């Protein structure tokens, strides 16, 4: 890892997060079918990791950079956070998409006659842009500070939560009758999208210390929007409320420990 090469670092690290997604999506080829409890626990765990990463890996460094840059510690991160959430909200309302496990009439965004598979593909894309963006922005911030431990912890946490997340996409699709190969393709695609988003985030913000606090806040806001809008409702829908909640607490704790210990 090279502190002065955020684009290379972001690309290299998100290959790892994609491979973790690939492994999770590959569960669709196993001879048994995961039950709803496992999926809900996995989604809750992923939600906890993303929430913890939003603060420990993104907002906390944003506040520090804001203060060191002579701004009010809260202003750029808060503005970026709200803008990131609003940006994802606009995408969610504009782009036609359908979340895995939902019937066609639950498609969101503009009404369209697109095939179900294309709508599922767009849902996966919207969902995973914030995670890749967070990694890219974190590495760009590390190039300013000269320390890459924090973005590495972030990437490790996202990689860990990508394992159940890949399964949470591919297994429900298989349960709906989609072929194993196509279910696997859509499951792993969520990790591939992160590579593109991470490289773009690092490329745009490399060496730009002025906008860094707001950019970190933007990535955090986008991630929190996805967690509240998509992941938490989905993991609660199956009735395994306590299991999903405890899993979220465990995920949050793991990400907090990783970030404090490594960052």
């Amino acid at each position: 890892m090279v502190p002065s090469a955020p684009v290379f670092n972001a690309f290299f690290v998100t290959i790892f997060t994609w491979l973790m997604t690939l492994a999770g999506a590959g569960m669709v080829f196993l001879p048994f079918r995961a039950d709803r409890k496992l999926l809900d626990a996995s989604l809750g765990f992923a939600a906890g990791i993303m929430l913890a990463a939003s603060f420990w890996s993104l907002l906390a460094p944003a506040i520090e950079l804001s203060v060191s840059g002579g701004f009010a510690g809260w202003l750029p991160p808060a503005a970026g956070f709200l803008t990131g959430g609003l940006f994802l909200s606009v995408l969610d309302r504009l782009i036609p998409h359908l979340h895995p496990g939902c019937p066609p009439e639950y498609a969101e965004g503009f009404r369209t006659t697109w095939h179900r598979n294309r709508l599922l593909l767009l849902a996966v894309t919207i969902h995973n842009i914030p995670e890749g963006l967070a990694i890219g922005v974190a590495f760009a911030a590390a190039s300013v500070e000269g320390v890459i431990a924090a973005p590495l912890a972030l990437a490790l946490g996202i990689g860990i939560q990508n394992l159940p997340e890949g399964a949470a996409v591919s297994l429900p699709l298989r349960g709906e009758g989609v072929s194993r190969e196509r279910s696997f393709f859509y499951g792993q695609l969520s990790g591939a999208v992160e590579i593109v988003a991470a490289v773009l985030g690092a490329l745009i913000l490399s060496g730009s210390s002025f906008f860094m606090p707001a950019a970190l806040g933007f990535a955090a806001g986008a991630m929190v929007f996805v967690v509240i809008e998509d992941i938490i409702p989905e993991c609660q829908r199956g009735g395994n409320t306590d299991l999903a909640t405890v899993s979220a607490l465990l995920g949050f704790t793991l990400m907090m420990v990783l970030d404090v210990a490594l960052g």
Side-chain angles (χ1 to χ4, degrees):
M1 293 292 164
V2 184
S4 60
V7 176
F8 171 80
N9 290 339
F11 173 78
F12 183 78
V13 165
T14 45
I15 292 294
F16 159 73
T17 63
W18 170 68
L19 289 174
M20 294 291 285
T21 310
L22 191 78
M27 291 179 64
V28 77
F29 294 109
L30 296 178
F32 60 86
R33 181 177 297 181
D35 63 10
R36 183 70 204 189
K37 285 186 177 181
L38 178 59
L39 290 176
D40 289 343
S42 299
L43 286 169
F45 187 78
I49 285 182
M50 290 179 67
L51 285 175
S54 297
F55 176 75
W56 296 101
S57 298
L58 297 171
L59 286 175
I63 293 170
E64 292 179 7
L65 286 173
S66 182
V67 172
S68 64
F71 299 100
W74 58 271
L75 183 56
F81 183 85
L82 293 175
T83 304
L86 179 62
F87 175 74
L88 259 291
S89 178
V90 171
L91 286 185
D92 199 59
R93 290 177 178 272
L94 293 181
I95 299 178
H97 62 283
L98 178 66
H99 296 287
C102 295
E105 58 268 23
Y106 280 76
E108 300 179 30
F110 285 134
R111 295 299 176 187
T112 179
T113 57
W114 286 354
H115 192 272
R116 175 183 177 85
N117 288 343
R118 181 179 295 183
L119 294 174
L120 290 169
L121 173 61
L122 289 172
V124 168
T125 302
I126 295 172
H127 181 104
N128 287 275
I129 286 175
E131 295 177 20
L133 182 64
I135 293 175
V137 172
F139 273 110
S143 69
V144 175
E145 297 176 307
V147 180
I148 62 173
L152 284 176
L154 172 63
L156 180 59
I158 288 178
I160 291 171
Q161 68 97 27
N162 276 0
L163 184 65
E165 190 173 71
V169 174
S170 64
L171 292 176
L173 290 177
R174 178 56 183 163
E176 294 176 7
V178 180
S179 69
R180 281 188 170 87
E181 292 75 15
R182 191 171 292 275
S183 298
F184 172 74
F185 172 76
Y186 284 119
Q188 64 81 33
L189 190 64
S190 61
V193 169
E194 290 177 8
I195 299 175
V196 178
V199 169
L200 287 176
L203 188 63
I204 293 172
L205 288 165
S206 293
S208 178
S209 59
F210 181 81
F211 294 103
M212 200 63 68
L216 287 165
F218 182 95
M223 285 181 63
V224 170
F225 179 89
V226 168
V227 171
I228 297 175
E229 170 77 8
D230 296 329
I231 301 181
I232 290 178
E234 177 63 23
C235 72
Q236 302 284 321
R237 193 175 62 176
N240 301 305
T241 304
D242 290 343
L243 176 63
T245 302
V246 171
S247 298
L249 292 173
L250 292 174
F252 188 99
T253 303
L254 175 63
M255 186 65 231
M256 180 178 65
V257 170
L258 285 175
D259 200 280
V260 173
L262 299 179

